[in-house]
Amino acid sequence: MSETVRDAGSLLRGDRQADRVVPPSGPAARLTSFTAGAMAFLAVFALALSLASGRLADRWAGALARTATIRISAPTDQLAAQTQIVLDILAQTPGVAAARALTDEEQKALLEPWFGPDLPVDALPLPRLIELTEGDPGYDGEGLRLRLSAEAPGAILDDHTRWRRPMAEAASRLRLLGVLSIALIGAALAAMVTLAATAALAANAQVIRVLRLVGARDSYIARAFVRRFTLRALGGAAVGTAAAMIGVAFLPAVDEAGGFLTGLGFQGWAWAIPLALPPLAGLVAFVATRTAALRKLRELT
């Protein structure tokens, strides 16, 4: 624990003499910076997709939560009477703020995306749809179903529960997928930094042996590698995060995207979330490099 604290302190203070142990450039340096930047870039978009999918499901669920539909299936000569009975029942039901029967034109508009604009509504035995808006507090759904079955047997209440439940499940799964994606990105970053640090240590094996001959301890050498690779990962992740946030900021807005994407990106305080990625990338690189350095130094005996 004390070694880790000293490593973290040296990371902040810096040591020019120790920094000379690690070459300032080379394949390992470029690999570390590029990997950290690419992983941070992907992590920002994973966060944006996760948050946007959650907003989309919440918006759809919210739109359906306060509305319900009653479908009336009856012979043509009884349809108007059944519709009026249902409207009278809804007018007397506590918790129903408003109710109205959809017109033929509105029902035709609902069916047009599936059957085209030339659907002969008048020639088809379509059920009549009644749209109701829930008040505050809401209505008793089970009691309303029982009354409808008794007074209007052809009326069926659809409170959109079957639509809301799948969306809520999809939102939770998409959020979980986003978290798993970020975890995998962090694991990939740790693996690549470990490989880069190990390669750098192996390439500097002769320098490490000379440092040992003049009295340098393994902890001193390891801190030099930890500092250099941690700062490379931190810098690369900062560049990748900034580039991704700029890209997200230029994505289409809600109205331009047709409302489906609900503004793919961050809103309000959520813009601060990606700012945590560079420090996290630095922490991952710190732990991975320190572990790899101590293990490799034990091998270089």
Side-chain angles (χ1 to χ4, degrees), residues 14-289:
D15 188 334
R16 293 184 178 180
Q17 297 298 325
D19 287 347
R20 295 178 182 178
V21 175
V22 184
S25 62
R30 291 191 292 271
L31 177 63
T32 302
S33 299
F34 174 78
T35 301
M39 295 303 173
F41 188 89
L42 295 175
V44 170
F45 278 93
L47 282 171
L49 287 170
S50 178
L51 292 174
S53 62
R55 287 196 301 269
L56 177 63
D58 292 342
R59 190 187 70 175
W60 284 355
L64 294 174
R66 310 300 296 181
T67 62
T69 303
I70 295 178
R71 185 177 72 254
I72 303 174
S73 300
T76 306
D77 57 345
Q78 300 179 16
L79 190 58
Q82 291 273 353
T83 302
Q84 188 58 48
I85 292 173
V86 172
L87 289 174
D88 292 340
I89 293 174
L90 295 176
Q92 301 168 8
T93 302
V96 176
R100 69 181 188 89
L102 299 185
T103 64
D104 291 340
E105 289 74 16
E106 289 174 323
Q107 294 195 182
K108 182 178 180 180
L110 292 174
L111 297 174
E112 185 173 328
W114 286 271
F115 299 100
D118 300 324
L119 180 67
V121 176
D122 298 336
L124 295 176
L126 296 178
R128 177 63 64 191
L129 298 180
I130 295 178
E131 180 185 65
L132 67 91
T133 303
E134 185 177 359
D136 191 15
Y139 60 90
D140 180 7
E142 188 61 31
L144 180 57
R145 286 189 177 91
L146 292 174
R147 186 173 179 185
L148 289 173
S149 63
E151 301 184 31
I156 298 176
L157 173 65
D158 182 5
D159 59 2
H160 302 156
T161 302
R162 60 186 180 127
W163 298 99
R164 292 199 302 267
R165 185 179 296 111
M167 284 190 295
E169 293 176 355
S172 63
R173 290 176 183 176
L174 285 172
R175 290 190 183 100
L176 178 60
L177 182 61
V179 173
L180 291 177
S181 299
I182 295 173
L184 289 175
I185 288 172
L189 175 62
M192 293 302 296
V193 171
T194 299
L195 290 175
T198 303
L201 284 160
N204 290 275
Q206 294 299 327
V207 176
I208 292 172
R209 291 189 178 96
V210 172
L211 288 171
R212 282 173 169 171
L213 289 175
V214 298
R217 298 177 59 186
D218 285 353
S219 59
Y220 174 84
I221 300 171
R223 281 198 297 271
F225 281 90
V226 168
R227 172 179 166 76
R228 181 63 60 83
F229 279 86
T230 300
L231 293 180
R232 288 169 181 168
L234 185 63
V239 173
T241 300
M245 291 180 70
I246 293 173
V248 170
F250 281 96
L251 288 174
V254 178
D255 52 349
E256 297 174 357
F260 179 75
L261 296 178
T262 65
L264 179 59
F266 307 101
Q267 296 179 359
W269 62 268
W271 280 101
I273 297 178
L275 300 180
L277 292 175
L280 287 176
L283 178 61
V284 170
F286 175 84
V287 175
T289 306

